[in-house]
Every structure is written in structure tokens, then in C-alpha cells.
């Protein structure tokens, strides 16, 4: 549906430059091969750096910033809080988009 919407926008606005960036591809690569991207691999990349416990260190009742919630000292993991990714992950994604590390899907 996104690709169709981009195609329609290109027809409606032929002089506009429209960029479509794939967010899914880099995240799946991070989760499948975290070491390649420099992420900590002493636990599952799905485990949150900042959280309130449980198998993935995610607890909706104990979110980052609340009393008693801990964060890893060096957030070199993929997952920050069970919802967002770490600054490192976002930085690699943005760099990859700029430098062609992650290909844009054909429209």
C-alpha cells in the first residue's frame, strides 16, 4: 500500500522528489546478526536495555524513567525500552539510508 501511495504521489507531483526509506530491513538485520553491527550479544537483541524486568526486560507497569527501573550502563543493544530502539540503532539506520547500506525497495 505504501508503494502504491508513493507511485500515486509521483504521478500527482512529477517535479517533487519523493524518498521512501525501508525501516524494517535494518531492524531485522540487527536482530538476526547483531554482532555484525556492533551490538552487544550477551543476550537476545530483543531484550530492552531500560526496563522493569521479565524475559525481555519489558514491563508496561515499570517503564523507563520510573523509580526502580534500571538501564544498562552502555546501551549498545538494539532495543532501548521495549518500544523504541537505542540511539546506536537509530544512528546506524540513518547512516545506512544516507550511504546506501540499506537498499531502498524498488517503487
Amino acid at each position: 500500500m505504501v508503494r502504491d501511495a508513493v507511485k500515486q504521489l509521483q504521478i500527482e507531483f512529477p517535479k517533487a522528489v519523493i524518498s521512501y526509506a525501508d525501516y524494517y530491513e535494518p531492524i531485522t538485520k540487527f536482530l538476526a546478526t547483531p554482532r555484525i553491527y556492533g551490538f552487544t550479544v550477551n543476550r537476545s537483541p530483543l531484550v530492552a536495555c531500560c526496563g522493569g524486568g521479565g524475559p525481555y526486560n519489558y514491563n508496561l507497569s515499570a517503564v523507563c524513567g520510573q523509580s526502580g527501573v534500571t538501564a544498562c550502563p552502555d546501551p549498545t543493544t538494539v532495543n532501548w525500552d521495549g518500544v523504541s530502539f537505542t540511539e546506536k540503532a537509530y544512528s546506524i539506520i540513518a547512516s545506512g539510508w544516507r550511504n546506501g547500506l540499506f537498499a531502498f525497495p524498488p517503487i
Side-chain angles (χ1 to χ4, degrees), residues 12-65:
E12 290 179 37
F13 306 99
K15 294 182 181 180
V17 175
I18 301 169
S19 295
Y20 169 69
D22 182 1
Y23 190 80
Y24 181 77
E25 179 188 357
I27 294 301
T28 56
K29 286 183 176 185
F30 296 166
L31 297 177
T33 55
R35 181 176 280 122
I36 290 173
Y37 298 95
F39 291 106
T40 303
V41 292
N42 58 351
R43 58 185 180 172
S44 166
L46 292 173
V47 175
C49 173
C50 184
Y56 296 103
N57 198 31
Y58 177 76
N59 182 336
L60 191 56
S61 300
V63 296
C64 237

Side-chain angles (χ1 to χ4, degrees), residues 49-95:
C49 173
C50 184
Y56 296 103
N57 198 31
Y58 177 76
N59 182 336
L60 191 56
S61 300
V63 296
C64 237
Q66 289 182 330
S67 178
V69 175
T70 59
C72 55
D74 182 21
T76 58
T77 58
V78 176
N79 191 344
W80 171 246
D81 61 1
V83 178
S84 304
F85 300 106
T86 58
E87 191 173 319
K88 178 180 178 78
Y90 287 125
S91 176
I92 294 170
I93 291 169
S95 178

